[in-house]
Amino acid sequence: MSSPSNLTPASVTIASWVKVDPTLSDWAWVAGHGDNVGLFVNLWDDDGVTFYYYNGSVWRNVSFHNAGLKDGQWHHIAGSFDQDTGIMSVYLDGVLVNSAYNLDTINYIHGNDFSIGSMQGWRNFKGCLDEVQFYGRALSEQDVQLLSQVP
């Protein structure tokens, strides 16, 4: 799916419900904008959630390890970057589980496509994804908590 060329916000949040296949043993792409900003699960060595962005020279990331995603249950994950504060955050089931400080900007030079469940034909997600959302702002912890509530 292609994104409009003006969809290059300074601050972002990506959120999704995920149900990981317990046999998955690699990186699994949830969603992202090119290879500029994205959210994925890393299941080959640490059963973790990672949110990242590209700053023009390196990829910055924040992760939460040993997240317990291989339990066959639905989990809500989210990652955000607030350019105003420099805070990157990653959430699991509505709870802030890790953050990092990076006073950078997102550099949108690695593609303009928005992808869900696969990045350029690889890092395929094995399991189920639901309610994948991309926001052009950093959501607050309370906003992410509301997204993670089951109606």
Side-chain angles (χ1 to χ4, degrees), residues 100-139:
Y101 177 76
N102 291 300
L103 196 54
D104 289 326
T105 59
I106 301 171
N107 193 324
Y108 290 92
I109 63 170
H110 289 291
N112 198 33
D113 290 341
F114 188 80
S115 60
I116 297 172
S118 176
M119 181 189 174
Q120 301 171 352
W122 59 297
R123 295 184 185 164
N124 297 321
F125 190 89
K126 187 176 179 185
C128 299
L129 297 170
D130 195 18
E131 297 183 34
V132 178
Q133 299 171 320
F134 181 88
Y135 294 88
R137 63 184 176 92
L139 296 182

Side-chain angles (χ1 to χ4, degrees), residues 7-14 37 51 53 79-87 104-106 108 134-139:
L7 186 57
T8 55
S11 297
V12 300
T13 301
I14 300 174
V37 60
F51 174 78
Y53 71 88
S80 69
F81 172 63
D82 186 335
Q83 184 179 331
D84 293 337
T85 64
I87 301 294
D104 289 326
T105 59
I106 301 171
Y108 290 92
F134 181 88
Y135 294 88
R137 63 184 176 92
L139 296 182

Side-chain angles (χ1 to χ4, degrees), residues 63-81:
S63 298
F64 177 66
H65 306 285
N66 301 312
L69 298 175
K70 289 182 160 187
D71 63 1
Q73 302 298 311
W74 283 100
H75 294 279
H76 188 268
I77 62 173
S80 69
F81 172 63

Side-chain angles (χ1 to χ4, degrees), residues 84-101:
D84 293 337
T85 64
I87 301 294
M88 296 178 69
S89 302
V90 67
Y91 300 86
L92 176 64
D93 295 327
V95 176
L96 175 66
V97 290
N98 200 7
S99 62
Y101 177 76

